[in-house]
Amino acid sequence: METLRLKINEEDIERAGGIIKEGGLVAFPTETVYGLGADALNAEAVKLVYAAKGRPSDNPMIVHIADIEGLDELAQNISDYARALMEAFWPGPITFVLPKKALVPDTTTGGLDTVAVRMPSNETARKLIRAAKRPIAAPSANISGRPSPTTAEDVLEDMDGRIEAVLMGESCKVGIESTVLDCTGDVPTVLRPGFVTKEMLEEALGSEVAIDAHLLEKPETVLDPEEGAAEADFSPKSPGMKYKHYAPKARVRIVENDVDRYKAEAEASGIRTAVLDYGKNSEEAAYSFFADLRRLDREGIGLILVCALDEEGLGFSIMNRMLKSAGYDVIE
């Protein structure tokens, strides 16, 4: 299959929308990472996303809408607090898990009775959704388990020849995937941390926001998506909760202290080693981390030592990605 490189103009966005309508796959930029889009209401098209990514079928997809009116055909029984948070943070890098309507295929939701919905702020993404005239299911546009793509070139590194087209937009401004918030219970619960933090949500809502217990503990096992769907003790309501994620070809280790010592030891053993140290700049870490992992892979680095961040605010979200990329390998 030849993967088209489409420009960010009206003609090519309409062309991309037509591909989505016809059941094809198009990668496109959002403010978070590049998404791999398919018609969210077409189960066969969504299956093609799972196949292109090598993604386990029990890993739910996020459905993207262009306007708040698009929510009505997807979700029901939406709580007052969910609507208040949508008003505060949409369009933007946050996804809401809501009770789904029957129109949404189980294939899109990983077999769950909930649907994860997001309204991106990226104008190209919203124009594509309008051109397609349907909601777009879109996980990150990479092979499952690899670092998420933040440029069109990253997408092509994984998806060239696997999908119909890529909208060749700019680098993503946020750099990590959206916050995912479960809004099906009495208390909103963060399932995946992102740029919109727990603290920001609590300030907007004026009440408590919980953190899912799976985010606060090291998993006993990290399942490899290349092995497909596997039995486990829970069904994930959000992408990124159950399977290995964000891993480059190089080994990644998180270092809490004395990174220079560990770098010297590794290089003395003949291992090409690089250090990623973002200091206390969590926004820079969010923007650069996935791109840096891919860059160092291209440079043939064998070991990446990542300096740990303070796990407060956005730092908690970045450390979630860093720990998963390292398989929770931490040097204290």
Side-chain angles (χ1 to χ4, degrees), residues 13-234:
I13 291 173
E14 285 294 326
R15 186 177 183 183
I19 292 171
I20 297 288
K21 287 180 192 176
E22 293 167 7
L25 307 184
V26 177
F28 62 97
T30 78
E31 72 276 21
T32 57
V33 300
Y34 270 72
L36 178 56
D39 179 355
L41 304 182
N42 180 340
E44 295 306 310
V46 173
K47 287 178 183 177
L48 295 177
V49 177
Y50 285 113
K53 284 179 60 69
R55 181 185 178 95
S57 61
D58 64 341
N59 207 5
M61 303 236 181
I62 291 173
V63 180
H64 294 66
I65 58 175
D67 305 283
I68 194 66
E69 291 76 16
L71 187 63
D72 293 337
E73 68 176 335
L74 302 173
Q76 60 189 341
N77 302 325
I78 302 171
S79 65
D80 290 341
Y81 74 72
R83 292 195 181 276
L85 290 172
M86 290 173 192
E87 180 70 23
F89 293 106
W90 268 3
I94 183 168
T95 296
F96 296 93
V97 174
L98 306 162
K100 84 177 183 76
K101 286 188 174 177
L103 182 66
V104 184
D106 287 347
T107 306
T108 301
T109 65
L112 300 173
D113 59 5
T114 55
V115 60
V117 186
R118 180 163 105 80
M119 186 194 301
S121 62
N122 181 283
E123 279 302 313
T124 298
R126 296 174 77 188
K127 286 178 180 178
L128 174 63
I129 298 164
R130 294 185 184 112
K133 295 182 171 61
R134 59 210 64 204
I136 293 180
S140 55
N142 57 286
I143 299 296
S144 280
R146 295 268 291 139
S148 297
T150 56
T151 68
E153 290 72 22
D154 291 345
V155 175
L156 289 167
E157 193 171 65
D158 284 8
M159 291 292 155
D160 197 8
R162 290 173 173 256
I163 63 176
E164 280 77 4
V166 178
L167 278 167
M168 305 289 289
E170 62 185 2
S171 298
C172 301
K173 296 185 182 302
V174 172
I176 61 168
E177 304 85 354
S178 62
T179 303
V180 178
L181 191 71
D182 184 357
C183 294
T184 61
D186 293 335
V187 177
T189 302
V190 174
L191 302 181
R192 182 177 72 186
F195 195 81
V196 177
T197 65
K198 176 180 185 289
E199 293 81 359
M200 293 164 65
L201 292 166
E202 289 178 334
E203 182 177 356
L205 200 57
S207 59
E208 177 191 6
V209 171
I211 298 286
D212 188 274
H214 291 98
L215 296 176
L216 302 175
E217 56 190 27
K218 177 181 176 181
E220 292 183 8
T221 59
V222 180
L223 301 177
D224 190 331
E226 293 182 1
E227 297 175 0
E231 294 296 324
D233 60 356
F234 76 107

